[in-house]
Amino acid sequence: MSEGAAKKEDKPRKFQAIRGTRDLLPPETTLWNRVEQTAHSVFATFGFGEIRVPVFEPTELFARSIGLNTDVVSKEMYTFADHDLQGLDISCSQVIRMIDMFSSPGQAQYVVTALNHFLAAANQEIVRGNLSRTPEVVIAMQRLEEDMLFLSGVQATTPSAEFSYRTNEIRLTLEAMQWGIDVALRPEATASVCRAYIEHNMQQLPQPVKLYYMGPMFRRERPQKGRYRQFYQIGAEILGGTDSPAIDAEVIEMVMTFFDKLELQGVQLDINSIGCRDCRPKYVELLRAELLKVKDKLGPDSQRRIETNPLRVLDSKLESEQKIIEKLPHIADHLCNDCATHYAAVKRQLELRGVIYRENWRLVRGLDYYMRTTFEITAAGLGSQNAVCGGGRYDGLVELLGGPSIKGIGFAIGEDRLILSLQESGKLPAQQGRDVYIAWMGEKAHATAIRAAKDLRNAGFSVELPPVEQKFGKALGQADKLGARFALILGDNEVAEGLWTLKTLADGSQQKLTEPDLLDFLRKL
Ligand code: HAM
C-alpha cells in the first residue's frame, strides 16, 4: 500500500445522518418548539391530555391495525427480531435446511447432527438465562428430544413415509418455537394509542377518552422534499363514547384552529365518507368490476391494486389514469342509509363551526382501519408532498386489537411538512440572540461577572459569559456577532466603584448602573 493510501486509511471516517433522517438545528428548532407549544395549548382547550407511547411495538400490532396489503406494512416498516439469540436462530435454520436437503431415511444422520447441535445450543441458552423455560419451550424441547431419539434409530430400510412424517413434525415444532418477538419502529401512533387504551383499561374512564401525542415515526419511503424516513407527527385520537357526527366535526375544528393559530397559509380541507363494513364491500366490488373493464389502460400499480385494494386506485396521481378514474362510480352514491345520514350530519356540523371544506370523493386514505369520515388537509409551499394532515374514523379498530367494541376517530399532522410550509411563507424564527454579553477583564471582575451572570439568569435573561479574559474590543465584537442586545462591561474600576457599565449595542450608548439598578432597568424593557 502506498504511503498516501495508508494516510487516507488512517483518517477516521466522517459520519453523516442516514438517508431520510436529518438533524434539526437552531434557530429552526425554535419554530418546532413554538409549533409544539401551540399544539399543547390548543389541544388542552379541547380537553385533550398528552399520551407518550413507545417508539417500538410488536410488528403484529401495526400489521393487524394498518393492514397487510398497505404500503406502510408491506414495504415501509423497520422491523427486527428483538432477542439476543442469533446463534440459536442460525442452528434452527440449519436443522430446517438439512430436512430440506436430505429427504431419504438413509440420510437421517445429517438431520440428527444438526438437531443435536440445536438442542445443545438451546439447553445452553436456558442455563445462561437467555431463553426462558416457558411451558411452550419445555414441551417443544421434549418433543425434539424424542424426535432425535427416533431419527438416531432410523435405518436405510425405514419406510420413507415414516421418516418424512417425523422430519415434518420437527420442522413444525421449530417454526412454532418463539424465542423473541418481532418488533417494528412505529410507522404511526394510532395503533399504539389503541393498544394503550386496552392495556390501561381506559374504558373505565369517563368516555370518550381524548389523547394527543407528538414524536418521531419511521417509514422506509423514498426520501424527497417533505418525505423522510424519520419524520415527526402531532396527532390526536378520540376513543370511546358515541360516533356522533359532532365528534368528527369537533376533531376537524381542532386541527383547523391549530393551523389558524400558526397562521398556516393555503390551508385546504378535503373530506369524504368511505362507508362502513356493510356498504363499502359492495362498492369495492363494483369498483373492481369497473376497473377490470379498463385494466389495460391502467399502470402496473393500479393493475395490482385492482386485486389487493381497488380503493387505492382512486389515490393515483398518474396523469394517464386521471380521465379513467373520473368516470368511475362515486362512493357517495353507494353509501348505506346510516352512513349517508352520518356524512350529511358531519358536513352540517362543520358548517355550524364555520369550518370550510371541500368534498373529495377520491379521498380514501392509505391505511385499512378507516371507515366513514376521512379527511386530509393540504397547505401551501409543499410541492407534491402537500398533505400536512390526514385522519378519519376507525370504529372497530380497538375491538380488532382484542379490546371492547368502541368508536374511534383521530388525525395526525406531519410536523416536518407543517414547519416547511410555515418557513416557505416566511414565518422564520428570529435568530436566537443573547440579552447580555458580559465583557470582563481582571481577576476580581471575573468573580463579579460569575455572580452577575447567575443573578441575571435567575431573573430569566439569557447571558453569555466568556470563559477566558478578552480585551474589551474583542469582547464587544463577539457580543455583536452573537446578536446580544447589551454588553455589561466589568473591569477592575467598575468593580471597585460598584458602578457597572451597560452598553446598548444597537446605538452604542452607555450608562453606569449599580447592580440592583441594572436588574430593574433590564426588567422594565
Ligand atoms: P398518514 O396519512 O399516514 O396517517 O400520516 C399523517 C401525516 O403524516 C401525513 O399527512 C403527512 O403529513 C405525514 N407523513 C406521513 N409520512 C411521512 C413521511 N414519510 N415524511 C414526512 N411526513 C410524513 C396516519 O399516520 C394516521 N395514523 C393518522 C390518524 C390518526 N388517523 C386517525 N388517527
Side-chain angles (χ1 to χ4, degrees), residues 131-151:
L131 177 61
S132 319
R133 205 186 263 280
T134 60
E136 290 81 10
V137 167
V138 171
I139 292 171
M141 295 285 284
Q142 277 169 358
R143 245 187 233 154
L144 293 171
E145 302 268 4
E146 284 163 19
D147 290 332
M148 196 175 67
L149 222 61
F150 171 84
L151 289 187

Side-chain angles (χ1 to χ4, degrees), residues 188 190 219 221 226 228 231 233 237 365 369-370 387 410-411 414:
E188 59 113 53
T190 308
R219 296 184 193 176
E221 294 195 81
Y228 311 99
F231 60 100
Q233 282 189 343
E237 315 291 347
R365 312 269 305 126
Y369 50 62
Y370 291 114
F411 64 80

Side-chain angles (χ1 to χ4, degrees), residues 437-450 465-466 468-476 488-496:
Y437 187 99
I438 304 184
W440 60 271
M441 265 187 87
E443 273 301 301
K444 281 198 195 112
H446 192 196
T448 308
I450 291 170
L465 176 66
V468 289
E469 190 174 79
Q470 294 168 320
K471 296 241 161 62
F472 284 128
K474 188 170 176 210
L476 291 176
L488 178 62
I489 298 168
L490 290 179
D492 287 340
N493 282 346
E494 276 82 0
V495 174

Side-chain angles (χ1 to χ4, degrees), residues 1-105:
M1 194 188 294
S2 75
E3 209 177 299
K7 264 201 186 135
K8 218 173 183 183
E9 285 247 314
D10 285 348
K11 223 173 157 194
R13 174 183 163 196
K14 267 198 205 155
F15 291 97
Q16 283 186 329
I18 287 173
R19 202 166 114 85
T21 73
R22 62 209 179 113
D23 303 306
L24 303 170
L25 306 172
E28 192 183 308
T29 37
T30 313
L31 185 54
W32 284 73
N33 282 325
R34 183 160 72 76
V35 162
E36 287 164 18
Q37 276 313 322
T38 309
H40 287 300
S41 61
V42 171
F43 295 177
T45 64
F46 281 78
F48 282 70
E50 187 184 0
I51 181 169
R52 298 187 186 198
V53 288
V55 165
F56 56 92
E57 300 259 13
T59 306
E60 172 73 12
L61 172 70
F62 301 116
R64 218 187 305 164
S65 318
I66 300 169
L68 285 174
N69 278 328
T70 57
D71 287 349
V72 171
V73 170
S74 66
K75 301 192 226 160
E76 297 167 1
M77 276 207 293
Y78 286 94
T79 57
F80 54 98
D82 187 22
H83 64 72
D84 301 321
L85 301 170
Q86 231 71 301
L88 212 51
D89 260 350
I90 295 169
S91 56
C92 172
S93 316
Q94 184 70 2
V95 181
I96 293 175
R97 212 172 13 252
M98 291 300 127
I99 291 175
D100 288 342
M101 280 169 64
F102 302 109
S103 55
S104 74

Side-chain angles (χ1 to χ4, degrees), residues 64 99 155 177 302 345 467 491:
R64 218 187 305 164
I99 291 175
Q155 314 273 323
M177 249 182 122
S302 291

